[in-house]
Amino acid sequence: MKKHNILLIHPTIQPNGVSYLEEHSNVFLAPNGDTQTLIQWMNEHSIEGVLTRCEYIGKEIMDAVPTLKVIGQHGVGLDNIDVKEATAHNIQVLNVPDANYISVAEHTMMFLLALSRSLRINDTSVRADSWYSRENRYTMELLDKTLLIVGLGRIGKAVAKLAQAFSMRVLSYDNYVPQSAMEALGIQKVDVLEEGLSQTDFVTLHVPLTKETQGMMSTPQFEAMKNTAYLINMGRGPVVDEDALVAALQQGQLAGAGLDVLNVEPPAADHPLFQMDQVIFTPHIGGDTREAKYRTSEILSRTVLEALDGKSPYNWVNRS
Ligand SMILES: NC(=O)c1ccc[n+]([C@@H]2O[C@H](COP(=O)([O-])OP(=O)(O)OC[C@H]3O[C@@H](n4cnc5c(N)ncnc54)[C@H](O)[C@@H]3O)[C@@H](O)[C@H]2O)c1
């Protein structure tokens, strides 16, 4: 069988995926994801398949690289790939929808627990020899609290299950999931986002970044929240209007936030949210456990080669 030419981009996928690709194809490694660099590497090596994680693969690359047939996304979110253009260029786009949703759901629960128990503030007080500051701080149980899940897909459903194990009441806002499907999972559907926000103790975001979801959490939504409630963003940074979030936190419209994703990643060192003790961060690693990365790498490398061999892998997202 013909060996295909595959481009990886530094920093790249896990070694198990790289080894698999090296066994079955000719593998090249671009030093970074800059568009001109990618075009140059792709044309120099007649690249047929490229694996990306967050590097942007758009029209400019597709127009400039006639050999490109398959784009593999190392994860679920496809906002860094122009899928419409890829379809117009007859390029197959693959993602890995089912390898890291448990990791993201567990990370969400970590934020729920860390926020409800003021983990960051308590940790800081112990280190600062301020043990007895605990007397002025009351943390909160999750039992019987309400969680609003925005986006009830693979991740949202897994979060619901974990939250229900903590005896939380679960609501969800997702225009595409019918009430009957939610009820079957013991979840109450809300049709208007602000109505759900006004009832909830925690809101967690698990929608993809689209024109519809960009900025869906902004001033009116923060105004609708209880001032004791917390926001968690595990989707994509721009789903939250960050300026509005800063203002809402300053005005005490919500109690705090747990953010795995930000508008600009990595963020500027003087980001105003860094001034706020009630906000905790992780560097977009919700899906990045050892287990999930290994699975993602394995699935993506195998299915990119399947696509190049003319097969029809299960994760082909722009299949006609
Ligand atoms: N933080 C991380 O490390 C990490 C890892 C994986 C995925 N993600 C993000 O999480 C997102 C969700 O992943 P998933 O696997 O659950 O995807 P999914 O496609 O299974 O679910 C997304 C859900 O969002 C809903 N939705 C879409 N537009 C909506 C809108 N305007 N209002 C309400 N609901 C809407 C859909 O109906 C769907 O049920 C991904 O697109 C990605 O951006 C983040």
Side-chain angles (χ1 to χ4, degrees):
M1 200 174 290
K2 177 181 172 281
K3 280 199 160 190
H4 299 287
N5 293 347
I6 308 273
L7 187 69
L8 304 176
I9 307 168
H10 180 81
T12 187
I13 63 173
Q14 291 298 289
N16 63 310
V18 177
S19 310
Y20 183 87
L21 288 170
E22 281 173 346
E23 221 176 290
H24 299 92
S25 57
N26 306 311
V27 178
F28 302 89
L29 179 65
N32 60 61
D34 166 66
T35 291
Q36 292 312 318
T37 307
L38 291 182
I39 290 174
Q40 191 190 334
W41 274 75
M42 287 186 189
N43 280 329
E44 255 172 40
H45 302 289
S46 304
I47 292 299
E48 301 159 86
V50 60
L51 272 61
T52 177
R53 298 198 312 167
C54 40
E55 298 79 16
Y56 184 68
I57 311 288
K59 185 174 186 308
E60 201 178 341
I61 292 179
M62 298 176 201
D63 281 345
V65 185
T67 52
L68 187 61
K69 295 192 189 103
V70 176
I71 302 168
Q73 169 64 24
H74 191 272
V76 189
L78 288 160
D79 43 287
N80 57 317
I81 299 172
D82 191 333
V83 179
K84 216 168 144 196
E85 273 303 324
T87 308
H89 283 74
N90 248 336
I91 296 172
Q92 284 176 259
V93 178
L94 314 183
N95 69 348
V96 186
D98 47 2
N100 68 6
Y101 66 101
I102 295 294
S103 299
V104 181
E106 289 181 359
H107 199 99
T108 308
M109 290 312 293
M110 183 274 296
F111 269 142
L112 273 158
L113 289 164
L115 290 166
S116 64
R117 295 306 178 98
S118 303
L119 179 63
R120 181 177 186 280
I121 295 167
N122 279 312
D123 176 275
T124 306
S125 71
V126 174
R127 290 168 201 264
D129 195 18
S130 180
W131 188 269
Y132 290 104
S133 64
R134 70 183 189 185
E135 306 302 337
N136 305 317
R137 205 162 35 243
Y138 295 100
T139 61
M140 160 170 117
E141 288 180 345
L142 297 185
L143 177 82
D144 292 338
K145 297 296 184 305
T146 300
L147 170 67
L148 172 65
I149 300 176
V150 179
L152 196 68
R154 270 171 300 259
I155 297 170
K157 285 191 189 111
V159 170
K161 218 169 155 186
L162 295 176
Q164 284 164 341
F166 278 81
S167 299
M168 296 187 80
R169 170 180 171 239
V170 180
L171 315 178
S172 181
Y173 173 77
D174 187 323
N175 332 13
Y176 305 97
V177 179
Q179 182 163 352
S180 55
M182 291 201 191
E183 275 172 7
L185 298 170
I187 299 168
Q188 190 185 323
K189 184 174 169 85
V190 295
D191 293 317
V192 178
L193 178 58
E194 291 72 17
E195 270 175 27
L197 288 168
S198 68
Q199 301 176 46
T200 204
D201 300 297
F202 297 88
V203 52
T204 183
L205 309 177
H206 301 287
V207 284
L209 177 60
T210 63
K211 278 192 192 119
E212 234 188 332
T213 62
Q214 180 158 6
M216 79 190 288
M217 285 300 296
S218 192
T219 305
Q221 289 70 39
F222 295 128
E223 280 171 358
M225 287 175 73
K226 297 198 274 191
N227 58 13
T228 49
Y230 292 94
L231 166 75
I232 296 168
N233 189 5
M234 296 297 300
R236 284 291 183 265
V239 174
V240 172
D241 175 344
E242 256 169 35
D243 292 338
L245 175 61
V246 170
L249 285 162
Q250 280 165 345
Q251 290 157 28
Q253 278 164 359
L254 67 160
L259 306 173
D260 186 46
V261 288
L262 288 164
N263 281 199
V264 177
E265 296 176 4
D270 61 349
H271 196 301
L273 287 172
F274 293 164
Q275 304 301 319
M276 300 182 181
D277 282 341
Q278 70 275 44
V279 184
I280 53 178
F281 304 92
T282 47
H284 200 152
I285 50 156
D288 281 0
T289 56
R290 201 176 300 127
E291 294 84 352
K293 280 172 115 169
Y294 186 91
R295 277 194 294 270
T296 306
S297 216
E298 189 272 318
I299 294 170
L300 189 64
S301 49
R302 180 169 45 76
T303 52
V304 162
L305 289 183
E306 282 176 13
L308 287 172
D309 284 340
K311 295 177 190 150
S312 180
Y314 82 103
N315 50 345
W316 177 7
V317 294
N318 60 343
R319 190 191 312 257
S320 52

